[in-house]
Amino acid sequence: MRRFSLLRRTMRLLALCSLFAACLASQASAVPVETSAPKGRETGLPVPRFVSLKSANARMRIGPSLDYGTKWIYLKSGLPLEITAEYDNWRQVRDSDGITGWMHRALLSSRRTAVIGPWLREPAALHTGARESAAVSAALMASVLVHVGRCDGAWCSIGLPHQNLTGFVEQSALWGVYPGETITD
């Protein structure tokens, strides 16, 4: 008798679940779908997003406060970082090596930089134009820091800091720009 009661309860629960799912499906077509990227709770800017390190000797902390210990010290300004979360004046960031931690917003800049993909086995070609057939003016090794100008979703115009060298590189060869992302100056 107990088995039969349990079976009946299970059948009722399944019937209610399918009814609930049918109601949700019928309402889903009437509700607009939110397609925009999530926004940061402090700035309202998209998260995740790329920024760069404003200053050298910047400390990445274990948590979002000066009370937390230092996890990493960055000695070079301009390195690209990806903001993955926001809390008060603190941003959770990830670097090109996958190291994550928290940095104060004063240490970050909206200026876009990138590094040549650390995953690349061969140097990335710096072209004189935004096409594969354009002349190659340099070969850029993995992890070379570059300033990002415009990106059209396939190619980015870049410049190398402290050198008089500019050109175009395939966007897929950069860490610091999302695939298909467009950037205007």
Side-chain angles (χ1 to χ4, degrees):
M1 186 67 148
R2 190 166 167 89
R3 265 180 131 170
F4 182 70
S5 176
L6 183 60
L7 180 61
R8 210 170 16 179
R9 284 186 195 158
T10 305
M11 295 296 279
R12 281 186 192 159
L13 184 59
L14 287 173
L16 284 173
C17 287
S18 65
L19 179 63
F20 182 68
C23 287
L24 285 177
S26 68
Q27 289 180 350
S29 60
V31 178
V33 177
E34 182 66 35
T35 57
S36 63
K39 305 290 185 204
R41 61 190 265 185
E42 304 298 332
T43 63
L45 296 172
V47 171
R49 69 180 179 276
F50 282 107
V51 294
S52 60
L53 198 54
K54 191 184 285 187
S55 61
N57 238 357
R59 294 177 185 271
M60 175 189 280
R61 299 197 173 266
I62 296 168
S65 164
L66 292 175
D67 296 334
Y68 287 96
T70 299
K71 184 174 188 176
W72 200 258
I73 299 175
Y74 292 88
L75 301 176
K76 178 144 182 70
S77 65
L79 294 174
L81 296 168
E82 182 180 33
I83 294 178
T84 58
E86 299 178 349
Y87 177 77
D88 196 27
N89 288 320
W90 294 85
R91 306 297 177 255
Q92 187 176 39
V93 296
R94 178 174 54 213
D95 68 15
S96 62
D97 294 323
I99 298 169
T100 61
W102 292 86
M103 298 187 101
H104 194 276
R105 69 182 179 126
L107 298 172
L108 305 173
S109 167
S110 61
R111 181 177 173 114
R112 295 297 293 269
T113 62
V115 292
I116 301 299
W119 60 87
L120 296 176
R121 299 269 188 248
E122 299 292 322
L126 181 66
H127 294 269
T128 57
R131 59 192 180 285
E132 190 68 37
S133 61
V136 175
S137 58
L140 304 175
M141 300 301 292
S143 299
V144 168
L145 177 65
V146 298
H147 288 234
V148 177
R150 293 178 174 221
C151 294
D152 64 10
W155 292 87
C156 291
S157 65
I158 62 163
L160 277 77
H162 312 298
Q163 296 182 14
N164 193 17
L165 193 57
T166 60
F168 295 85
V169 69
E170 288 186 73
Q171 197 161 325
S172 61
L174 297 174
W175 190 91
V177 180
Y178 294 110
E181 179 182 13
T182 57
I183 299 173
T184 58
D185 288 7

